[in-house]
């Protein structure tokens, strides 16, 4: 009988050098087949052609000093247009020495957002925290209480206005949207048809038409002598618009609840309001959290449309800086700065929404 | 349930009656609100002496429009001006949708590419362009065209007969000749012929099992017939080349910077969303389907066209429809960069006549109409390709 034992003299056969390590990775991910190889070479050539000149323009040859020294030499980017006007771009016409108030409001908002990110913190107290937080933000912006001087809403602008319109818009639109979604599911013909007409009509028209409506028609709706300021009117338009989209998202959630839940609740003897409040909505709203974040993202992007009715949001303040003869011709730099702000906010939110989707997906 | 009559149910506990009462309440509230707003509006209109009704459509518009698909001058009435706006909206939406679907499909496929570099770049494109407001992108492209491009006198001339300057993209077109119209008709005739041929080929395939190369014969027809017509018509080669006269170009066809910026912004933005939809659609097709198709001996082109794409389309079409609608609705942002679309012209009309209610109502009606039309078309197509279950 032969005893087989491990023979140390035979080395382990290693995989070929071209299929492991960096080389292997490159072979399987960049040069698998002639088509991919050609594609890779072309793209690398394109990147070499575009990226270094852009970096040179944006960073190496650029000018940063608020005085704008050296701008207009045609060489590099002139970020001075941003650094010199940063406060105006961010805060608009808000009085200069009171700008700590919107800044503080934004910090509260960011802190609340970051705190709410963790699902362990989702308790009833958090909802109250949000309501209190929103109220404090409103007071900070408006003033008039606790000895803060009043700042008229016509002076609000920039990033706080953008955030205000989107965050308050979504908060106020949510209950309306839920009501509309319930209305659409209702068995009462009148309620159902009114909800359907409203939702489909709003979803069929562009936001601009609602903003026009808020700026030119809304004043006609009010009795003589009553005026509502421009920001509030735009806010109402955004709420009415967002509510229709929320209604559709919530409807998706409602439809995902199995019929057995309704029947079980019925057999427990709960009435319609109780069924909705205690059984259906808590489950349905949990399902629709990720798509709701997407709605927040689009609401945040859509607030930029208030430029068209001449509200001084982030985009409008930038545009008015660019119409200053001193800074004419540097639009690319200013717009890139804005794009970075918008991108960071939306990227944060969409990443969060994806993470939430994974966490909430219990595989049912 | 207790049968009515045995025991009297109080009317407020009878669900049917209660629902009637609720509905009546809602109706009264809505009607009252409507009446209140209406009466306020009428008083306000009277006080500000603003006319009502659509009589203004007949009046002379007395404003010029930069670009138009039909003949238009300031002496025409508002109706014609608004018609120009509708056509401009349709133009940018239609071209935009076609380009978006093309670009979005390419990027969506690139996102799934085995090539790491390609798929990374596609992912970056999708993430970045989705997260920047479309209005900001429009402003950016418009400013880029306006500031970076030279004046007409120093226009860039990348290829003969094409000029790029801050007045837009101007390029040469073949000079006017009846042959071009005939060729257009020929193309239409070939399209009809291809349709008929395809049906015939399918019927033959089902009956006899013999395939017919529909694709290549269509291409051959499409190329050869118009060419023959062109030769018969005397093979005109004269071109209408743009000439610099004074401050601007004359002749040729020009794409205004407003149109170009609007189209570019809308297409790049929406394509990012379409790419995600296409990616999800392709990924939704089970891998077993591809493997089974290969096991049946289908070539890889046939695997795609007969097995994967038809199944992916079912997932893709509904969200794609809503992206098309989004593009159409977003084309209303043209008003911000001065492209004369419907909203922009309706806005001018509102400012001139003061009849805001009619103006906004028309904007809403036109977009609602466009939305309904697009969804109807896409629903028809969706139904055609939907899974037929036994």
């Amino acid at each position: 009988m032969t005893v087989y034992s491990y023979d140390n003299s035979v080395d382990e056969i290693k995989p070929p050098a071209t299929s492991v390590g960096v080389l292997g990775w490159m072979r399987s991910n960049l040069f698998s087949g002639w088509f991919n190889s050609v594609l890779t070479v072309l793209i690398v050539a394109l990147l070499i052609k575009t990226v270094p000149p852009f970096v040179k323009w944006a960073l190496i040859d650029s000018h940063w000093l608020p005085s704008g020294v050296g701008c207009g030499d045609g060489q590099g980017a002139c970020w001075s247009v941003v650094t010199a006007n940063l406060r105006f771009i961010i805060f608009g016409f808000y009085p200069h020495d009171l700008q700590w108030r919107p800044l503080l409001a934004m910090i509260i908002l960011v802190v609340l957002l970051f705190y709410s990110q963790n699902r362990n913190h989702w308790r009833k107290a958090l909802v109250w925290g949000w309501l209190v937080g929103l109220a404090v933000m409103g007071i900070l912006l408006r003033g008039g209480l606790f000895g803060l001087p009043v700042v008229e809403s016509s002076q609000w602008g920039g990033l706080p206005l953008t955030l205000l319109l989107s965050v308050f818009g979504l908060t106020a639109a949510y209950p309306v949207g839920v009501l509309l979604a319930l209305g659409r599911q209702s068995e009462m013909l009148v309620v159902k048809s009114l909800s359907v007409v409203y939702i489909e009509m709003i979803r069929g028209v562009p936001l601009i038409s609602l903003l026009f409506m808020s700026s030119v028609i809304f004043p006609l709706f009010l009795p003589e002598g009553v005026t509502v300021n421009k920001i509030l009117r735009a806010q109402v338009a955004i709420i009415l618009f967002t509510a229709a989209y929320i209604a559709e998202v919530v409807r998706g959630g409602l439809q995902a609840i199995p019929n057995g839940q309704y029947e079980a609740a019925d057999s427990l003897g709960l009435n319609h309001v109780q069924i909705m409040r205690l059984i259906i909505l808590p489950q349905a709203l949990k399902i629709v959290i990720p798509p709701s974040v997407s709605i927040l993202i689009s609401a945040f992007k859509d607030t930029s449309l208030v430029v068209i009715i001449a509200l001084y949001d982030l985009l409008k303040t930038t545009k008015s800086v660019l119409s200053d003869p001193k800074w004419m011709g540097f639009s690319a730099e200013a717009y890139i700065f804005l794009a970075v702000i918008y991108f960071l906010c939306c990227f944060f939110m969409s990443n969060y929404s994806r993470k939430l989707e994974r966490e909430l997906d219990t595989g049912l | 349930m207790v049968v009515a009559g045995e025991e009297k149910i109080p009317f407020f506990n009878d669900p049917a009656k209660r629902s009637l009462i609720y509905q009546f309440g809602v109706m009264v509230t809505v009607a009252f609100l409507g009446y209140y707003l209406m009466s306020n509006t009428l008083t306000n209109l009277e006080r500000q002496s603003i006319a009502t009704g659509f009589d203004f459509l007949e009046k002379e518009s007395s404003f010029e429009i930069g670009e138009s698909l039909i003949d238009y001058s300031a002496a025409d009435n508002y109706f014609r001006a608004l018609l120009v706006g509708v056509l401009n909206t349709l133009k940018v939406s239609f071209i935009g949708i076609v380009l978006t679907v093309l670009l979005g499909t390419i990027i969506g496929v690139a996102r799934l590419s085995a090539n790491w570099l390609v798929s990374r770049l596609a992912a970056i494109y999708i993430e970045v362009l989705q997260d920047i407001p479309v209005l900001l992108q429009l402003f950016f492209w418009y400013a880029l065209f306006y500031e970076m491009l030279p004046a007409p006198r120093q226009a860039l001339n990348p290829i003969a007969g094409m000029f790029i300057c801050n007045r837009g993209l101007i390029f040469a077109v073949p000079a006017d000749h009846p042959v071009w119209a005939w060729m257009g008709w020929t193309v239409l005739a070939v399209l009809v012929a291809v349709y008929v041929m395809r049906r015939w080929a399918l019927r033959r395939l089902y009956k006899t099992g013999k395939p017919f190369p529909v694709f290549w014969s269509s291409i051959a027809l499409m190329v050869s017939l118009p060419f023959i017509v062109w030769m018969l018509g005397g093979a005109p080669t004269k071109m209408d080349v743009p000439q610099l006269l004074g401050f601007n170009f004359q002749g040729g066809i020009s794409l205004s910077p407003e149109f170009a910026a609007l189209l570019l912004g809308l297409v790049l933005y929406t394509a990012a969303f379409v790419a995600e939809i296409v990616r999800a659609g392709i990924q939704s097709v089970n891998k077993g389907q591809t493997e089974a198709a290969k096991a049946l001996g289908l070539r890889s082109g046939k695997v795609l066209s007969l097995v994967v794409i038809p199944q992916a389309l079912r997932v893709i079409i509904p969200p794609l429809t809503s992206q098309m609608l989004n593009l159409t609705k977003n084309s209303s942002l043209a008003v911000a960069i001065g492209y004369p679309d419907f909203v922009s012209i309706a806005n001018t009309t509102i400012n001139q006549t003061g009849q805001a209610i009619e103006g906004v109502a028309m904007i809403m009606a036109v977009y609602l109409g466009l939305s309904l039309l697009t969804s109807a078309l896409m629903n028809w197509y969706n139904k055609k390709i939907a899974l037929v279950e036994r």
Side-chain angles (χ1 to χ4, degrees), chain A residues 79-135:
Chain A
W79 298 111
S80 312
V81 61
V82 175
T83 48
N85 302 298
L86 190 60
R87 283 184 83 155
F88 181 73
I89 291 178
I90 300 286
F91 294 112
F93 290 110
Y94 210 88
H96 204 260
D97 45 343
L98 296 177
Q99 283 174 2
W100 61 270
R101 277 163 40 184
L103 187 65
L104 187 62
M106 287 198 291
I107 290 173
I108 295 178
L109 181 68
V110 170
V111 167
L112 270 175
L113 277 174
F114 267 93
Y115 186 77
S116 319
Q117 221 192 339
N118 189 341
R119 284 204 302 132
N120 295 332
H121 295 158
W122 288 6
R123 276 179 248 106
K124 232 179 199 156
L126 189 64
V127 177
W128 291 110
W130 266 99
L131 289 180
V132 172
L134 287 177

Side-chain angles (χ1 to χ4, degrees), chain B residues 279-357:
Chain B
R279 180 194 61 78
I282 294 176
Q283 278 183 334
S284 76
V285 180
N286 198 318
K287 207 172 172 214
Q289 295 284 329
T290 320
E291 289 165 353
K294 277 187 185 152
L296 284 177
L298 295 178
R299 279 181 282 117
S300 61
K302 291 275 172 195
V303 172
L304 269 184
S305 69
L306 294 177
V307 178
V308 177
I309 292 179
Q311 297 187 67
L313 272 184
R314 280 184 208 130
V315 179
I316 291 175
I317 293 296
L320 187 67
T321 311
S322 77
Q323 285 308 322
M324 291 176 172
L325 292 177
N326 275 350
L327 188 139
T328 312
K329 282 186 277 170
N330 281 339
S331 74
S332 61
L333 299 180
V335 65
I337 55 171
Y339 173 75
D341 83 320
F342 183 69
V343 170
S344 155
I345 289 172
N347 193 28
T348 315
T349 309
I350 291 175
N351 289 339
Q352 284 192 358
T353 61
Q355 292 191 276
I357 297 178

Side-chain angles (χ1 to χ4, degrees), chain A residues 156-220:
Chain A
W156 299 1
L159 190 55
L161 181 63
T162 300
L163 291 172
L164 177 95
L165 288 176
S166 44
V167 172
F168 271 81
L170 192 77
T171 320
Y174 222 97
V176 184
V178 171
L179 280 183
L180 280 170
L182 291 176
R184 196 172 181 161
Q185 297 287 80
S186 162
E187 279 160 13
M188 292 185 253
L189 196 65
V190 174
V191 177
K192 186 178 175 157
S193 43
L194 279 176
S195 310
V196 170
V197 168
Y198 178 84
I199 294 172
E200 293 306 326
M201 207 180 95
I202 297 286
R203 278 160 41 92
V205 300
L207 176 56
I208 290 204
S209 59
L210 285 184
L211 287 174
F212 273 151
M213 200 164 146
S214 82
S215 75
V216 292
I217 299 186
F218 195 69
L220 293 176

Side-chain angles (χ1 to χ4, degrees), chain A residues 258-281:
Chain A
N259 247 343
Q261 296 286 326
Y262 289 91
E263 287 156 9
D266 269 335
S267 65
L268 284 177
L270 301 177
N271 66 29
H272 182 76
V273 177
Q274 284 172 327
I275 294 176
M276 285 302 159
R277 194 169 62 86
L278 299 173
I279 312 283
I280 305 300
L281 280 181

Side-chain angles (χ1 to χ4, degrees), chain A residues 29 36 40 43 188-190 203-204 206 208 212 220-224 245 301 304-305 329 331 346-347 354, chain B residues 23 36 40-41 44 47 114-116 118 121 127 130-131 133 135-136 143 147 269 329 332-333 343 367 371:
Chain A
N29 286 307
N36 271 340
T40 305
I43 288 178
M188 292 185 253
L189 196 65
V190 174
R203 278 160 41 92
I208 290 204
F212 273 151
L220 293 176
F221 284 161
L222 297 173
E224 201 179 340
Y245 285 81
K301 285 188 292 175
S304 59
L305 301 199
S331 327
C346 295
F347 186 65
R354 256 169 282 180
Chain B
Q23 299 192 48
Y36 176 71
N40 275 340
T41 311
N44 282 326
R47 194 160 42 85
N115 189 321
W116 181 83
V118 173
L121 279 182
E127 192 62 59
Q130 274 189 353
D131 283 352
L135 188 59
L136 177 57
E147 285 171 9
Y269 179 74
K329 282 186 277 170
S332 61
L333 299 180
V343 170
Y367 279 94
S371 298

Side-chain angles (χ1 to χ4, degrees), chain B residues 140-170:
Chain B
F140 179 79
W141 294 119
Y142 187 56
L144 211 64
F145 287 148
Y146 225 80
E147 285 171 9
M148 305 288 164
L149 293 177
R153 280 174 192 282
Q154 291 88 36
L156 304 174
N157 194 354
I159 51 172
M162 185 163 134
F163 297 91
I164 301 175
C165 62
N166 61 15
R167 299 292 175 87
L169 174 75
I170 301 118

